Amino acid sequence: MLKFDNNKIKNDKVVVGFNTGHHGGCAVIAHGKIAAIAEERLTRKKYSDGYINSLFYCLKALNLKISDVDLFVSSSYYKTPLPKHFMGELKSLGIPENKFITVDHHLSHAYTSYYLSPFDEALITVIDGQGNNTDTESYFLARKGKIKKIGGNDPKRSIYKGIGRAYEVFTNYCGWSAQEAGKTMGLAAYGKELYPDTVLFKINKNLQIESRIKNKYLQGALDFVKHNNLKFNKPESGYKNKDAAYFVQDKIEKIILDLVQKLYGKYKIKNMCLGGGVFLNSIVNKKIIDNTNIENLFIPPCCDDTGQALGNALFGFHHYFGNNKIIELNNAYLGRRYEDKEILDVLNKNQKIFTLPYHVKATKIVFKKSSNIAKDTAKLLANKKIIGWFQGGSEVGPRALGHRSILCAPYPIGMKETLNRRVKHRETFRPFAPSVLKEKVRDYFYINVSSPFMLFVAKAKEVAKKKAPATLHVDNTARIQTVDEKNNGLYYDLIKEFYKITGVPVILNTSFNDNNEPIIETPGDALSMFCKTPIDHLVMGNYLISKK
C-alpha cells in the first residue's frame, strides 16, 4: 500500500472508490495511506466486474470497518452516467445514501493520472474505448491542483469513430476481444506497411478526432477493409493478420502524435499526464517523448479501467473534501502485505487461513527460510531456473512489476520459448519484458526517461542484443521496467545480486499467472500456480520452496 504525508491532509476522511464496469475493483484512501486492488485478483476471473471482495480487502488492509467510511465514489464506462447517488451492491449494507456520489469516467482517468503525478501544471490527455456521453477522447488542463476540461470529441459523433474503438475493431479483426489489444500491439512488429496512403483518422481545428470506422466490433473492421479494398489476411486468423495489426498500430501512433503536438502548440505546456486504456500502448508513449515537444510524461500503472476505482477515490479526496495535491506515486504496490504466518499456513498446508485445491495438497514440497533471499534467488536465476516471485503488496494495474512475477535469466534467446512452453502458454509472437537496474538502463537501451511501470518501449543497444536477447521483441525493442533501490527494495536487491554474479543488470520479468488467468494475489494462489506448472522454484517472502 502507498503511504503519504498525513500531516498535509486538510480533511482526514475515509474515501472509497469503486468501479462498476469491467475491471471492477476498489481503492480506499484513509489517514495517509492508499490500498487498491482489482476484483479479478480475488475472484480469479479475468476482467471481472464487481467490487464487494475488493472493498473488504482494502478495508482490512487499512484496519477499517465499513462504518468508518465517509464517502463512496463510483463510476462506469457506459454512455449513460450513473445516477447521482448510485449505491449498487452496497445498498444492502445499510449505508446512508448521502454518502454516495458518482464521477464522470474520463474525469476519473484524469484524476488518476494528474493527482498521482509529480506535476503542478500539466496537460491531461484521456483516450479509451468508451467513457460517458460518447466520450472517447478528452483533454484537460491542470494547474495548482485544479482540473478543467478544455476539449474532446464532438458529443454528437459516434463512439465507434474514436481512437480506442478503432484499435478495438482491428483487434476483433485479428481474432481477439477488445480487452486483448496488447496482442495487436505485439503482433504489429511482425507486419509491414501495405497502405500508407489509406486514411483511418482525421483531426479538425478543434482537435476533435474522427475515424472512418462506421460500425462496431468485427463488422466495423470488415466494412472498412472492404470499402478501402485492403488485402489483409482472412479475418480472425491471429498471427496471419500481422499486416492489419501493423496498419492500425501505425495509424494510432500518427494521430496521437499529431494530437499531442497540437495540444502543446495551443497551450505550450511541456508536462503531460496520460489516462485511458489506449495508453497501455507503450510504443505510442515512447514516441510521444521522442517526437513531440512534451518533455515530461506521467502515466499511472493503472491508466486503463483498473485505475477507475483509484481515480474515484482521488476525486473524493481532492475535489469533494478539498485536500491539496500531495500524493506522488513512485511504485505500484498498493495491495496488502501477507505476514509470515499466512505464508506458513500455506506452506505447511494447515488451511486455517487459505483453503488449498487438491493438486496443491497432492504435491510434495520442501521449503527453507533464507537469510539472504535476494542472493539465493539470484544464484538460481544465474543457473537458468524459472522462479515464481511473491513479495510485499501486489501491483495496481495490469502489469507485474516485481511483486507478483515469474522471473528467469534474460539469456539465451531460447529462454523465452522455454518459459512460454513450460509455464505461460501464450501466443509465440508476444514478447516478455526486461526489468533493468535504473542506473544501467541507458547502457542497454535507447531511453532517456525512467520507466517504473513498464509503459515505455525502447530500442535495444548491441549489448542488450547479446546479453538479454530473451527480453527483446522481433524488432529488437523491449517494454522496459526500470528498477531502483528506493522504490523497489528487495526486487532491486535481487537484480543487483544477479548483476554481481553474471555481469548482466537485467532479468526477464513476466506476470505470475498462466495464460487467460488473472495475476495471482495470495500465498495460496502462488503455491497453486507453482504446483500446477513446471516452475523450478517459488520464493515467498524469505522462504525458498521446491517440489520434492
Side-chain angles (χ1 to χ4, degrees):
M1 88 189 55
L2 175 69
K3 295 182 181 180
F4 57 92
D5 193 345
N6 195 36
N7 296 318
K8 294 182 179 179
I9 298 175
K10 286 183 181 180
N11 293 293
D12 193 10
K13 304 290 187 179
V14 177
V15 184
V16 167
F18 64 100
N19 177 28
T20 68
H22 62 79
H23 291 100
C26 262
V28 179
I29 303 177
H31 316 314
K33 298 176 182 177
I34 302 177
I37 193 169
E39 189 78 357
E40 69 172 16
R41 304 289 181 96
L42 305 173
T43 63
R44 309 307 306 150
K45 180 182 177 183
K46 203 164 186 181
Y47 314 129
S48 176
D49 57 6
Y51 38 82
I52 295 293
N53 295 288
S54 43
L55 168 62
F56 287 100
Y57 169 99
C58 291
L59 292 176
K60 180 179 179 180
L62 297 174
N63 196 28
L64 297 168
K65 303 185 295 295
I66 196 78
S67 58
D68 295 324
V69 180
D70 297 291
L71 184 70
F72 295 84
V73 187
S74 63
S75 65
S76 173
Y77 71 94
Y78 301 112
K79 180 179 178 180
T80 304
L82 294 172
K84 186 176 180 181
H85 297 291
F86 178 81
M87 301 176 75
E89 296 176 51
L90 303 183
K91 191 172 184 177
S92 62
L93 299 179
I95 306 164
E97 187 182 73
N98 62 7
K99 283 190 174 186
F100 289 82
I101 64 171
T102 60
V103 62
D104 174 78
H105 185 88
H106 274 207
L107 187 59
S108 177
H109 278 312
Y111 266 76
T112 310
S113 61
Y114 173 64
Y115 280 100
L116 298 177
S117 79
F119 310 137
D120 178 55
E121 180 182 62
L123 290 165
I124 307 170
T125 304
V126 175
I127 306 177
D128 62 7
Q130 177 182 355
N132 301 134
N133 303 314
T134 75
D135 286 343
T136 56
E137 298 87 30
S138 295
Y139 324 129
F140 302 84
L141 179 61
R143 281 197 178 112
K144 297 181 179 179
K146 304 293 182 183
I147 293 177
K148 176 184 177 182
K149 189 170 183 179
I150 55 174
N153 57 278
D154 185 337
K156 296 178 182 179
R157 191 216 65 189
S158 166
I159 58 173
Y160 302 114
K161 293 185 176 294
I163 293 174
R165 277 302 173 102
Y167 206 85
E168 288 176 358
V169 300
F170 271 91
T171 296
N172 297 153
Y173 186 88
C174 291
W176 307 306
S177 75
Q179 303 304 324
E180 297 177 295
K183 295 182 181 181
T184 307
M185 183 180 73
L187 181 58
Y190 290 84
K192 58 183 179 295
E193 186 172 55
L194 298 179
Y195 304 105
D197 299 325
T198 300
V199 175
L200 179 57
F201 298 105
K202 62 182 180 180
I203 183 170
N204 68 19
K205 63 181 181 180
N206 296 320
L207 307 188
Q208 295 173 345
I209 289 164
E210 186 167 330
S211 81
R212 294 174 63 195
I213 301 294
K214 296 180 180 179
N215 214 327
K216 59 184 179 180
Y217 310 129
L218 174 61
Q219 191 60 49
L222 291 173
D223 291 346
F224 180 83
V225 167
K226 181 179 179 180
H227 180 76
N228 291 279
N229 196 30
L230 307 182
K231 305 299 182 184
F232 294 136
N233 215 294
K234 183 181 177 181
E236 300 184 292
S237 56
Y239 175 79
K240 292 180 180 179
N241 293 126
K242 56 186 182 293
D243 294 329
Y246 180 98
F247 175 83
V248 72
Q249 176 68 30
D250 177 65
K251 299 302 182 185
I252 73 150
E253 288 174 16
K254 288 174 178 172
I255 191 63
I256 290 174
L257 292 178
D258 191 14
L259 168 64
V260 168
Q261 190 61 20
K262 282 181 166 65
L263 281 168
Y264 170 80
K266 190 172 182 178
Y267 295 98
K268 298 294 189 294
I269 296 173
K270 295 190 175 183
N271 301 326
M272 182 170 280
C273 301
L274 303 178
V278 166
F279 292 112
L280 287 177
N281 196 305
S282 38
I283 300 171
V284 169
N285 300 339
K286 178 64 160 51
K287 290 191 175 183
I288 291 173
I289 285 291
D290 291 344
N291 299 286
T292 74
N293 286 98
I294 298 300
E295 293 181 358
N296 305 300
L297 200 59
F298 179 79
I299 316 151
C302 50
C303 62
D304 64 339
D305 281 4
T306 58
Q308 277 285 296
L310 184 52
N312 298 344
L314 290 164
F315 178 84
F317 180 77
H318 291 289
H319 179 79
Y320 194 87
F321 289 124
N323 285 298
N324 294 326
K325 186 179 184 301
I326 55 177
I327 303 166
E328 188 173 327
L329 189 71
N330 294 308
N331 67 60
Y333 310 130
L334 302 191
R336 79 172 184 91
R337 289 179 171 269
Y338 291 85
E339 299 174 3
D340 258 25
K341 67 179 182 180
E342 294 175 290
I343 294 173
L344 289 171
D345 174 77
V346 166
L347 297 183
N348 289 316
K349 302 181 182 179
N350 295 329
Q351 300 192 90
K352 293 181 179 179
I353 303 173
F354 297 103
T355 301
L356 301 173
Y358 177 78
H359 74 269
V360 173
K361 291 183 279 188
T363 303
K364 294 181 179 180
I365 62 169
V366 292
F367 62 91
K368 63 179 180 180
K369 193 168 188 178
S370 169
S371 59
N372 190 336
I373 197 66
K375 188 173 183 178
D376 289 345
T377 306
K379 290 177 181 177
L380 294 171
L381 290 172
N383 285 323
K384 301 183 179 64
K385 301 298 183 182
I386 297 173
I387 307 295
W389 178 256
F390 179 101
Q391 301 292 344
S394 58
E395 304 91 337
V396 68
R399 308 274 193 248
L401 299 168
H403 276 199
R404 301 290 186 274
S405 292
I406 295 173
L407 309 174
C408 65
Y411 56 78
I413 194 168
M415 183 60 81
K416 171 185 172 182
E417 194 276 332
T418 299
L419 175 62
N420 204 28
R421 174 173 45 81
R422 289 179 56 189
V423 182
K424 294 292 288 186
H425 310 117
R426 307 191 315 179
E427 294 86 349
T428 56
F429 61 79
R430 295 170 64 187
F432 293 112
S435 292
V436 191
L437 295 180
K438 183 178 177 180
E439 63 269 25
K440 296 291 183 181
V441 69
R442 294 184 189 182
D443 294 343
Y444 277 66
F445 297 95
Y446 292 100
I447 188 167
N448 294 315
V449 294
S450 295
S451 182
F453 306 134
M454 210 180 280
L455 286 169
F456 292 105
V457 162
K459 282 280 188 183
K461 294 185 176 180
E462 287 303 316
V463 64
K465 295 175 188 178
K466 293 176 181 177
K467 295 188 175 183
T471 67
L472 304 185
H473 203 17
V474 65
D475 57 355
N476 287 317
T477 63
R479 192 181 66 209
I480 297 164
Q481 180 195 5
T482 51
V483 179
D484 67 77
E485 186 172 14
K486 179 180 178 182
N487 295 302
N488 302 103
L490 184 63
Y491 192 46
Y492 175 88
D493 295 340
L494 170 63
I495 304 173
K496 193 71 176 283
E497 291 292 342
F498 183 79
Y499 177 45
K500 289 177 183 177
I501 297 168
T502 66
V504 180
V506 183
I507 58 175
L508 188 154
N509 170 21
T510 188
S511 53
F512 202 159
N513 61 327
D514 203 345
N515 193 26
N516 294 318
E517 290 183 351
I519 300 174
I520 64 155
E521 168 57 28
T522 70
D525 298 336
L527 190 63
S528 177
M529 178 70 181
F530 175 62
C531 290
K532 75 178 183 179
T533 61
I535 294 173
D536 294 309
H537 300 280
L538 172 64
V539 175
M540 286 201 286
N542 289 315
Y543 294 94
L544 177 60
I545 304 109
S546 306
K547 298 184 185 82
K548 192 173 181 181

